[in-house]
Every structure is written in structure tokens, then in C-alpha cells.
């Protein structure tokens, strides 16, 4: 009797399991959708909180400056919804010039808006606030993209749409974290950010320069070392600038120096497995944005000049966080590498320190 009961239980369980498998197979897409959708919903919630936090941090900073938030708030949405439409890419002729014009126009528009909102602030604080609003608008854009994916998925309940969103989720998370950290660093940081390793290298190499001058957003220093003419240029600090007229200054200095060795020091995102703070050398122009890279490459090719780029590896987070001791040591190594190149060459040298000059004079 017990044996019959046991067999009955086994058969019943087998049929129950078979039934569940058949039942769940019919709803496998819905189940997959449910489990995968949670990640997207969780990230959307995180972005909502970060967008709110950014607004709160900016509001506090505006009040510190002495400006009423009521006067700024109507313009806040305009600034944080600001983005750049790239030029036509299918027509290569003149595309760099068109992109340069768009970037310059966008930069000037934001600067005018900030001048209007906080006229009593000094130029360095205005430069910081410009970058703050750029990062806030980037974060807001990511939030809108994720929100679009979320509601499209809710409406269609289409697993293909969800998979499309999830493939971009890791990238969007990194970009959102980078922008959120950047806003906090610009408004609360007291040290240079990691992105400024190239600019800091150039600044420290300006020590002992006989002639230092400013041209727009670019600082230019000149000195002699190892009986060679050395010109060092970097974005002007200590506000958060990247040197929007850097390309024109580089071209002018190259023409003045004749046939210099060009040394570029810049930050580079490290690959997975690479050590943060590691340094590498490359032949070619490691510069951004594209108009700057194009302007330097154009005159380099025309005059057949040697170009060496010294790149300091950073993680995604380190770009927008305060510079740590590891990166400070990397700056010292970069300086040694530049000095070694100067000793070995026989012509004038043009050193270009790129990056963000937040908290770097």
C-alpha cells in the first residue's frame, strides 16, 4: 500500500512539474521581461534622485553667490535641457569647421546665460558654473533616454526594446556617475580633478619661465632649458576651463618656433586590466575635441613635425573626482618623461598640457 502511495506521489509531482514547465514556457517572455525590467526601473529611480540632488546642490551654490533662486529657476530648465546637434556627417568636406563653429556658438551661449544669471561672480566661478551646467544637462539627457526606454518598454512589453536598453545600461550608468561626480567636484571640491593631469604637468613645468602671458583661455609660458627654447601652453585656470582657443594658439606658436618637437600631455581612459596612473607614449596627436585635434594634425602634417603624446591612464571615475596621490605621482613621472625628451632633442620644444584646469592656476 505504501509503495502504491509513493508511486502516486511521484506521478503526481511529475505531472505537476510538466504542467508548470508547459505553463511557464508560454509566459517565458513575460517572465524574462519582469526580471530584466527591474534593473532598468532601479536605474531610473537612481537617476531621478541624482537629478534632484544636482538641482539641490546648484541651488545651494547659487544662494551662496548671493543670487535669488527664484531669479535663476526659470532659466534652470533651459540650461539643463541644453544639448548640441552635431553637423551632417555624410558630407566630410568642411565637417570639422562646422563642428568647431557649433561648439563655439554653444560655449558662447552658455557663457552669456551664466553672465546674465550671476553677474557678480568672478570669472573663475563663472567658468566652474559653466561646466556644472554642462554636466547637469548631460545627466538630465541620460535620465531622459533611460526614461524613454522605460516607458516604451511598459507600453509595448516588447523584450527586444528592453534588450536594446539593457545593452546600453552599463555605458549609461558610467556616464551618469561621471557627470554626477563632476558636478559635486566642481561645486564642493578643493583639489584638481583627475582630468587635469595634463594641465597640471604643464603648469608645474612652467616653473622658472621668463615670460608668461594669457591669450583667451590659454596660458603661455616660455623659457630656456638645456639651451633650447621651450614654450609651454595649457588652459588657463584656476577655473574649470579646457582652452577653447587652444588650437589657434598651438598653430601660431608652431609657426613662430619653426620646426619644434611637439609634446602633448593628456589623460586617457584606461582599459580594463590596466593600472590607474600608468603612463604610455604614443606618436600622434592625442587631443580632443575633434577641431583641436584636426588643427594640430593639419599643421603637423604640413610642416612634417614630430609629435609625441604622453598619456596618463585614468579610470572613468577618476576623470571627474579629485586627483588622488596615485595620479599626483603619475604627474611627476610625466614631467620626467617630458624632461627626458627635451634632453634628447635638438630643436625647440612645444609642450601642450591638455585637460580641465579646475583648481590649477
Amino acid at each position: 500500500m505504501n509503495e502504491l502511495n509513493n508511486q502516486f506521489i511521484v506521478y503526481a509531482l511529475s505531472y505537476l512539474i510538466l504542467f508548470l514547465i508547459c505553463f511557464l514556457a508560454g509566459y517565458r517572455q513575460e517572465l524574462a521581461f519582469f526580471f530584466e525590467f527591474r534593473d532598468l526601473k532601479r536605474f531610473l529611480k537612481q537617476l531621478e534622485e541624482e537629478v534632484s540632488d544636482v538641482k539641490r546642490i546648484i541651488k545651494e551654490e547659487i544662494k551662496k553667490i548671493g543670487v535669488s533662486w527664484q531669479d535663476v529657476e526659470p532659466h534652470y530648465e533651459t540650461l539643463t535641457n541644453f544639448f548640441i546637434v552635431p553637423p551632417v556627417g555624410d558630407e566630410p568636406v568642411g565637417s570639422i569647421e562646422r563642428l568647431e563653429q557649433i561648439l563655439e556658438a554653444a560655449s558662447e551661449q552658455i557663457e552669456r546665460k551664466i553672465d546674465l544669471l550671476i553677474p557678480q561672480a568672478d570669472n573663475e566661478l563663472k567658468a566652474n558654473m559653466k561646466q556644472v551646467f554642462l554636466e547637469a544637462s548631460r545627466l538630465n539627457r541620460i535620465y531622459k533616454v533611460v526614461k524613454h526606454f522605460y516607458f516604451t518598454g511598459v507600453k509595448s512589453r516588447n523584450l527586444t526594446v528592453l534588450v536594446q536598453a539593457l545593452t546600453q545600461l552599463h555605458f549609461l550608468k558610467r556616464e551618469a556617475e561621471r557627470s554626477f561626480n563632476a558636478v559635486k567636484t566642481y561645486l564642493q571640491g578643493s583639489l584638481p580633478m583627475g582630468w587635469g593631469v595634463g594641465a597640471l604637468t604643464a603648469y608645474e613645468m612652467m616653473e622658472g619661465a621668463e615670460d608668461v602671458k594669457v591669450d583667451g583661455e590659454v596660458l603661455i609660458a616660455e623659457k630656456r632649458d638645456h639651451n633650447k627654447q621651450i614654450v609651454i601652453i595649457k588652459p588657463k585656470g584656476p577655473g574649470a576651463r579646457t582652452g577653447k582657443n587652444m588650437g589657434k594658439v598651438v598653430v601660431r606658436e608652431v609657426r613662430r618656433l619653426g620646426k619644434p618637437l611637439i609634446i602633448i600631455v593628456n589623460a586617457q581612459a584606461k582599459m580594463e586590466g590596466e593600472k590607474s596612473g600608468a603612463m604610455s607614449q604614443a606618436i600622434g596627436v592625442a587631443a580632443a575635441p575633434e577641431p583641436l585635434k584636426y588643427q594640430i594634425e593639419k599643421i603637423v602634417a604640413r610642416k612634417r613635425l614630430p609629435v609625441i603624446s604622453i598619456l596618463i591612464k585614468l579610470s572613468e571615475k577618476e576623470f571627474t573626482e579629485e586627483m588622488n596621490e596615485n595620479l599626483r605621482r603619475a604627474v611627476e613621472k610625466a614631467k620626467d618623461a617630458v624632461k627626458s625628451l627635451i634632453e634628447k632633442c635638438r630643436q625647440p620644444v612645444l609642450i601642450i598640457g591638455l585637460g580641465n584646469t579646475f583648481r590649477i592656476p
Side-chain angles (χ1 to χ4, degrees):
M1 189 69 178
N2 287 335
E3 188 176 342
L4 286 172
N5 286 337
N6 289 338
Q7 285 182 350
F8 175 77
I9 292 170
V10 169
Y11 286 139
L13 286 173
S14 299
Y15 281 116
L16 179 61
I17 291 169
L18 182 62
F19 172 77
L20 287 173
I21 290 172
C22 293
F23 178 79
L24 294 175
Y27 291 91
R28 64 184 183 277
Q29 180 167 319
E30 284 76 6
L31 288 169
F33 186 88
F34 172 76
F35 286 113
E36 297 293 349
F37 202 65
R38 289 185 306 173
D39 287 340
L40 192 60
K41 188 175 182 179
R42 196 179 298 119
F43 182 43
L44 181 61
K45 180 68 176 174
Q46 177 189 327
L47 283 173
E48 285 177 353
E49 292 173 358
E50 288 181 353
V51 168
S52 297
D53 284 345
V54 164
K55 186 174 182 178
R56 176 183 55 78
I57 294 169
I58 292 175
K59 185 177 179 179
E60 290 172 359
E61 186 63 28
I62 292 293
K63 287 180 177 178
K64 286 180 188 175
I65 297 170
V67 178
S68 169
W69 177 248
Q70 282 72 24
D71 296 335
V72 174
E73 192 168 18
H75 304 280
Y76 182 82
E77 290 299 319
T78 303
L79 284 167
T80 54
N81 283 288
F82 179 86
F83 65 98
I84 294 170
V85 179
V88 174
D90 295 336
E91 176 52 62
V93 178
S95 61
I96 295 294
E97 288 80 2
R98 282 181 274 131
L99 177 60
E100 182 180 18
Q101 190 276 327
I102 289 170
L103 292 175
E104 286 180 359
S107 177
E108 289 169 5
Q109 183 175 333
I110 295 174
E111 287 169 3
R112 284 196 299 269
K113 200 79 171 174
I114 290 172
D115 284 338
L116 183 68
L117 294 177
I118 48 174
Q120 67 270 53
D122 60 53
N123 290 333
E124 306 310 311
L125 181 54
K126 286 178 181 177
N128 291 347
M129 292 305 295
K130 174 185 173 182
Q131 295 298 326
V132 164
F133 280 111
L134 284 173
E135 295 296 344
S137 67
R138 190 173 290 118
L139 182 64
N140 196 43
R141 189 75 179 163
I142 294 169
Y143 169 63
K144 286 185 174 183
V145 168
V146 174
K147 193 175 182 180
H148 167 74
F149 281 137
Y150 177 79
F151 284 111
T152 303
V154 167
K155 284 182 179 180
S156 65
R157 300 195 67 81
N158 188 329
L159 197 58
T160 305
V161 174
L162 182 61
V163 169
Q164 180 188 0
L166 291 172
T167 54
Q168 300 181 48
L169 204 58
H170 180 64
F171 168 75
L172 291 171
K173 281 181 178 179
R174 288 193 307 176
E175 288 298 304
E177 182 182 27
R178 182 170 168 171
S179 291
F180 184 63
N181 287 340
V183 171
K184 291 195 294 183
T185 302
Y186 287 133
L187 295 180
Q188 300 171 353
S190 57
L191 298 173
M193 59 169 47
W195 186 12
V197 287
L200 182 60
T201 303
Y203 172 71
E204 293 188 353
M205 294 205 70
M206 287 179 175
E207 185 179 358
E210 301 99 16
D211 182 27
V212 180
K213 57 187 177 182
V214 175
D215 184 344
E217 286 195 1
V218 178
L219 188 66
I220 308 160
E222 189 167 346
K223 65 179 183 178
R224 294 197 69 81
D225 191 7
H226 292 84
N227 205 30
K228 301 179 188 78
Q229 186 179 10
I230 312 293
V231 174
I232 307 166
I233 61 178
K234 63 172 282 293
K236 174 182 172 291
R241 298 184 183 88
T242 55
K244 65 181 179 182
N245 61 317
M246 179 71 76
K248 293 172 184 175
V249 173
V250 170
V251 170
R252 187 190 67 213
E253 292 301 315
V254 166
R255 287 173 178 161
R256 185 171 70 87
L257 292 171
K259 281 191 168 285
L261 165 66
I262 299 176
I263 303 173
I264 297 171
V265 187
N266 203 357
Q268 184 185 47
K270 75 180 186 71
M271 295 182 183
E272 293 298 332
E274 284 188 310
K275 289 184 178 179
S276 176
M279 191 184 69
S280 62
Q281 290 189 21
I283 300 298
V285 180
E290 289 299 314
L292 171 60
K293 181 178 173 69
Y294 173 74
Q295 285 174 316
I296 299 174
E297 285 179 342
K298 189 175 179 181
I299 194 163
V300 162
R302 186 186 303 144
K303 296 174 76 72
R304 302 189 67 80
L305 302 175
V307 182
I308 299 174
S309 291
I310 296 174
L311 303 169
I312 298 172
K313 309 287 183 162
L314 277 70
S315 68
E316 291 285 344
K317 285 182 68 176
E318 286 174 327
F319 266 90
T320 51
E321 290 181 343
E322 290 186 328
M323 198 178 294
N324 55 44
E325 284 301 316
N326 188 37
L327 295 181
R328 288 287 310 185
R329 288 192 292 271
V331 168
E332 294 301 318
K333 291 178 185 176
K335 285 162 57 180
D336 291 339
V338 173
K339 289 174 184 175
S340 176
L341 291 170
I342 292 172
E343 289 174 11
K344 293 173 184 175
C345 78
R346 297 181 179 179
Q347 69 249 61
V349 179
L350 176 61
I351 301 169
I352 307 169
L354 298 177
N356 192 304
T357 54
F358 176 71
R359 301 293 185 204
I360 302 171

